Amino acid sequence: MKQEEQPLPGSNSTQYHLIRYKEGLGKYNENMPELTHAYNEFTRHCFKEGEISEKYKQLIALGISIYSQDEYCIIYHTKGCLDQGCSENEILETVGVSAAFGGGAAMSQGVTLVQECIKELNKPRH
């Protein structure tokens, strides 16, 4: 089996949702390549190291994602936080700050989806 033909993880998996997002973006790119390229370049520039580190930019993005109830972005930026070396407690403190602004709706995403992402995506890679 070729690498790109590997079966998708289960549909309730955070990895599954990351794959679905990338596939959707790829299909969108087929019809809107200039827009997709411009958006990707814009976000790449926004998240690159500057006065604020990439790590803290991911934590900010996670907090905004939780507040705005954007599940795909919550998954994507939880992964970004882990990839940038954020500790579980740094991520959970971000959940708390988001809940201070977003109330129970933000807290519910943090105590469910964010913790599921940490558990699934923070496994050692073999």
Side-chain angles (χ1 to χ4, degrees), residues 21 25 29 34-46:
Y21 172 77
L25 190 58
N29 183 55
E34 290 178 18
L35 191 145
T36 304
H37 176 75
Y39 176 77
N40 287 338
E41 283 300 302
F42 172 72
T43 58
R44 184 188 61 75
H45 182 75
C46 289

Side-chain angles (χ1 to χ4, degrees), residues 56-109:
Y56 290 114
K57 288 180 179 188
Q58 286 295 333
L59 287 166
I60 291 167
L62 177 59
I64 294 167
S65 299
I66 293 168
Y67 179 81
S68 65
Q69 301 290 297
D70 185 333
E71 291 186 0
Y72 282 99
C73 285
I74 291 169
I75 294 168
Y76 187 84
H77 292 294
T78 300
K79 181 178 183 336
C81 287
L82 294 168
D83 290 348
Q84 289 299 316
C86 295
S87 70
E88 183 173 347
N89 282 344
E90 287 173 314
I91 294 169
L92 295 178
E93 284 185 24
T94 300
V95 168
V97 172
S98 295
F101 285 88
M107 182 62 100
S108 69
Q109 293 289 356

Side-chain angles (χ1 to χ4, degrees), residues 13-25:
S13 156
T14 54
Q15 289 284 356
Y16 172 83
H17 292 292
L18 288 171
I19 292 166
R20 283 198 59 221
Y21 172 77
K22 290 178 182 179
E23 287 175 346
L25 190 58

Side-chain angles (χ1 to χ4, degrees), residues 104-118:
M107 182 62 100
S108 69
Q109 293 289 356
V111 301
T112 57
L113 184 55
V114 171
Q115 291 187 119
E116 290 168 17
C117 289
I118 292 169

